[in-house]
Amino acid sequence: MTDTLRIVLAQANPTVGDVVGNMALARQLRAEAQTMGADLVVFPELFLIGYPPEDLVLKQAFQNDAIKAAQTLATETADNGPAMLISTCWREGGKLYNSALLLDQGKVQAARHKHDLPNYGVFDEKRLFAQGPLPGPINFRGVRLGVPICEDIWKPDVVECLEETGAEIIIVPNASPYEVDKSDVRLNHVVSRVSECGLPMIYLNQVGAQDELVFDGGSFVLNADRTVAIHMPEFESALTMTEWQRGDDGWVCAKGQDVPPRSRLEGIYRACMLGLRDYVNKNGFPGVVLGMSGGIDSALSAAMAVDALGPDRVWCVMLPSKYTGQESLDDAAEASRMMGAKLDTVSIAESVDALEGALGDVFAEKQPDITEENIQSRARGLLLMAISNKFGHMLLTTGNKSEMSVGYATIYGDMAGGYSVLKDLYKMTVFALSDWRNKHRPSDGLGPDGPVMPQNIITKPPSAELRPDQKDEDSLPPYEVLDDILESLIEKEMAFEDILARGHDPATVKRIEHLLYIAEYKRRQAPPGVKITSRSFGRDRRYPITNRFRDAV
């Protein structure tokens, strides 16, 4: 039995499916932990296979590779270095589990299986894994460690069982996706569990991104008296030592690293950066290309790309039409210069004339309408995709959540692309983030210090510039009104009368609700994008395309 324990927390960034790469990263982090004098190094949930694995984990060959990797790592712990608490898929009794394994002294010494499998929002673990039994503690060198996995601590049962069966320290491997204000929710759950069981708790979260999901790290340790002993950085990989001492009242973690949480706007910006960076890098793209219109959405998308990837990997293309004003041309050029990104200009005028000419006979008896506007947008999409195909840069889509909610986007036009960094950001948040970035540079940003776009881009009225003197508010309510209605309908699922009670016009609410429902088919064909809110399109909010329901007063 020992009265001291040195546990290193590996807040690290695995890649889904890359068992060999994740195993190599685990080896590297263990070696670093050994130089720090660690007894044990802990990794986030499903570290060896990456989270979320989705249906990949149902593939037998993948399971075999993951299990073999864990067994190989186990044999390597015979070197008298630190033990590893590592999470992976694991087969036992003909069932597949989401498991945490203790690797020590050359063997898999113990396995604990996730009991509470989440099946809501972005999670669908019940289709992938068997439910583990209520766990007992693991004996590690005379210390009884409770190892619930992520969702297991969101309700009292698992931690209560561990406390009743003699656990002394609770260690929780997590892969908890980022949402606005999620860090407070996590802390509140941990405080509740610690208050109930009277035991200290390590909350270790993954960092990095997988498709739409961003994992923001921010791992922490709470002592039994609910004081925070350790708080690790958000949105960054980190390897942190925690030092433990057994006293008369149980184990206590010494005060150590304490990195304060980011502000709300910085957290959102960093989440977008990390989501885009990992999507581009993990999928092997050399960089991104995007349409630079001179408007705020493309400017913010470009700024995030520059901060995520560096200016040399961001290619801006201005695609003017006969309706594009000189102000937009100037703003696009100046923003690209301020960011240090390459800017090319490719006119769509000849392409649009050719397309309208080809359709001239078919459209002969029809007046110009939104069809001609959409032709412009689709010409831009075609040209940008051609550049993407020729040079390999991923096309970055620049639409925001307000526009996608009401269908204010052209399918096969400005919706074209491989990823959308603003997909879950309402327009008012786009304004706020643009202003924030002009005043602050994120600490891990690869872009320049100082402003990255002219102030005029933030203050001028938004316009798609698809017809003369067009403004967004010609066909939409002011964005502060639109966004409040949309958030009420989407994030809060509020009833019609409750939205009216917020001071909104009944006809406007009805119209926005109708536009929201009929645009579902567009959103189903939209590229993936960073999840920021609790109800992102695609993974969280899953509405039918064919839908005749409308909320009646």
Side-chain angles (χ1 to χ4, degrees):
M1 182 177 292
T2 179
D3 290 329
T4 61
L5 204 56
R6 294 167 64 85
I7 302 174
V8 165
L9 309 184
Q11 182 174 286
N13 185 352
T15 299
V16 168
D18 187 8
V19 175
V20 173
N22 296 337
M23 183 166 59
L25 180 56
R27 284 192 183 109
Q28 173 194 326
L29 294 171
R30 178 176 182 264
E32 292 180 33
Q34 186 166 8
T35 66
M36 299 164 69
D39 299 307
L40 175 67
V41 56
V42 183
F43 296 86
E45 180 180 10
L46 290 184
F47 181 84
L48 264 185
I49 63 173
Y51 190 93
E54 301 187 75
D55 284 4
L56 175 63
V57 79
L58 301 178
K59 194 173 186 66
Q60 190 82 16
F62 182 65
Q63 297 174 20
N64 293 342
D65 285 355
I67 291 168
K68 183 179 178 181
Q71 292 168 335
T72 300
L73 287 174
T75 63
E76 294 174 7
T77 61
D79 63 358
N80 296 319
M84 304 171 77
L85 186 62
I86 198 162
S87 182
T88 185
C89 61
W90 195 249
R91 286 196 301 257
E92 206 171 88
K95 295 180 179 179
L96 185 70
Y97 295 99
N98 176 343
S99 303
L101 310 178
L102 177 65
L103 314 182
D104 193 23
Q105 299 176 341
K107 297 179 181 179
V108 178
Q109 298 286 355
R112 292 296 181 268
H113 311 311
K114 191 171 184 176
H115 175 74
D116 197 345
L117 301 173
N119 205 51
Y120 59 87
V122 301
F123 307 107
D124 52 6
E125 289 190 33
K126 288 185 179 178
R127 66 179 275 133
L128 305 175
F129 299 108
Q131 181 184 39
L134 285 168
I138 296 171
N139 191 321
F140 172 65
R141 303 181 186 180
V143 183
R144 295 186 299 276
L145 305 177
V147 188
I149 301 173
C150 201
E151 192 77 11
D152 284 341
I153 67 161
W154 287 62
K155 297 176 184 176
D157 298 2
V158 173
V159 175
E160 180 182 349
C161 177
L162 287 165
E163 185 269 330
E164 290 175 350
T165 51
E168 298 172 86
I169 300 171
I170 306 295
I171 303 176
V172 193
N174 295 270
S176 177
Y178 171 82
E179 288 175 11
V180 173
D181 301 327
K182 182 80 169 285
S183 57
D184 290 341
V185 176
R186 296 179 191 131
L187 180 60
N188 289 338
H189 278 287
V190 172
V191 168
S192 295
R193 299 294 85 81
V194 168
S195 299
E196 292 159 0
C197 71
L199 299 173
M201 185 174 292
I202 295 171
Y203 185 97
L204 175 63
N205 196 23
Q206 179 177 310
V207 72
Q210 169 63 22
D211 298 343
E212 301 99 324
L213 302 184
V214 171
F215 301 93
D216 52 321
S219 307
F220 58 92
V221 178
L222 237 62
N223 275 315
D225 62 1
R226 301 184 297 282
T227 58
V228 177
I230 302 286
H231 199 290
M232 296 171 67
E234 296 175 328
F235 305 105
E236 298 174 15
S237 296
L239 196 66
T240 297
M241 172 64 76
T242 67
E243 303 199 46
W244 295 78
Q245 182 77 40
R246 190 201 303 264
D248 293 339
D249 295 324
W251 287 90
V252 176
C253 180
K255 189 74 175 173
Q257 184 181 38
D258 185 12
V259 181
R262 306 288 176 177
S263 69
R264 188 174 189 272
L265 284 177
E266 183 178 2
I268 294 172
Y269 194 94
R270 294 282 298 275
C272 292
M273 273 177 53
L274 182 54
L276 178 60
R277 177 184 291 156
D278 272 12
Y279 191 84
V280 170
N281 290 341
K282 290 181 179 181
N283 285 292
F285 292 106
V288 298
V289 61
L290 71 154
M292 193 70 160
S293 68
I296 194 168
D297 294 330
S298 62
L300 181 60
S301 296
M304 288 176 167
V306 165
D307 282 329
L309 306 171
D312 57 324
R313 298 178 68 191
V314 179
W315 187 354
C316 300
V317 182
M318 182 70 184
L319 299 119
S321 74
K322 61 184 178 182
Y323 301 119
T324 303
Q326 188 62 44
E327 181 183 41
S328 295
L329 294 169
D330 294 343
D331 283 343
E334 180 62 9
S336 301
R337 184 198 66 77
M338 294 168 76
M339 296 176 201
K342 174 182 177 181
L343 175 67
D344 281 318
T345 299
V346 179
S347 173
I348 68 168
E350 291 183 3
S351 302
V352 170
D353 288 345
L355 290 167
E356 290 181 349
L359 292 165
D361 291 342
V362 179
F363 289 178
E365 297 181 5
K366 292 287 187 178
Q367 293 297 312
D369 56 15
I370 195 173
T371 305
E372 283 72 21
E373 297 181 21
N374 288 339
I375 286 174
Q376 297 172 59
S377 181
R378 291 183 177 122
R380 290 188 171 105
L382 185 150
L383 293 169
L384 287 167
M385 279 305 306
I387 294 171
S388 174
N389 291 161
K390 183 65 71 174
F391 296 94
H393 289 57
M394 184 196 75
L395 176 55
L396 184 62
T397 312
T398 60
N400 62 68
K401 189 171 187 175
S402 303
E403 295 168 352
M404 287 303 303
S405 296
V406 295
Y408 200 76
T410 304
I411 196 166
Y412 322 125
D414 57 341
M415 287 175 60
Y419 200 74
S420 177
V421 73
L422 307 185
K423 183 175 181 177
D424 204 24
L425 299 178
Y426 288 114
K427 189 76 169 191
M428 295 304 294
T429 305
V430 170
F431 284 118
L433 287 172
S434 299
D435 183 68
W436 180 88
R437 180 56 183 91
N438 265 1
K439 298 172 181 175
H440 306 86
R441 177 179 175 271
S443 58
D444 63 339
L446 302 178
D449 290 322
V452 292
M453 67 184 76
Q455 190 66 20
N456 188 56
I457 286 181
I458 301 174
T459 57
K460 69 183 178 182
S463 171
E465 290 193 313
L466 297 173
R467 62 176 183 267
D469 302 318
Q470 183 182 24
K471 298 291 184 291
D472 287 6
E473 290 187 12
D474 296 342
S475 51
L476 294 173
Y479 278 112
E480 58 267 26
V481 174
L482 176 63
D483 286 358
D484 189 70
I485 294 172
L486 288 172
E487 187 174 354
S488 298
L489 288 167
I490 297 168
E491 275 76 22
K492 299 175 181 177
E493 292 283 6
M494 291 173 64
F496 183 76
E497 58 269 24
D498 294 329
I499 300 175
L500 297 187
R502 297 172 69 87
H504 295 296
D505 170 64
T508 301
V509 175
K510 274 294 182 187
R511 177 169 171 261
I512 298 306
E513 180 198 45
H514 177 69
L515 292 174
L516 174 66
Y517 285 153
I518 66 172
E520 187 62 39
Y521 81 98
K522 288 186 178 183
R523 292 190 290 271
R524 291 286 184 96
Q525 300 179 65
V530 183
K531 170 184 162 60
I532 297 295
T533 70
S534 62
R535 295 281 280 170
S536 61
F537 290 130
R539 294 193 71 110
D540 283 306
R541 186 182 185 275
R542 307 177 193 179
Y543 264 60
I545 295 173
T546 305
N547 170 21
R548 290 188 177 180
F549 173 79
R550 300 294 183 270
D551 194 1
V553 181

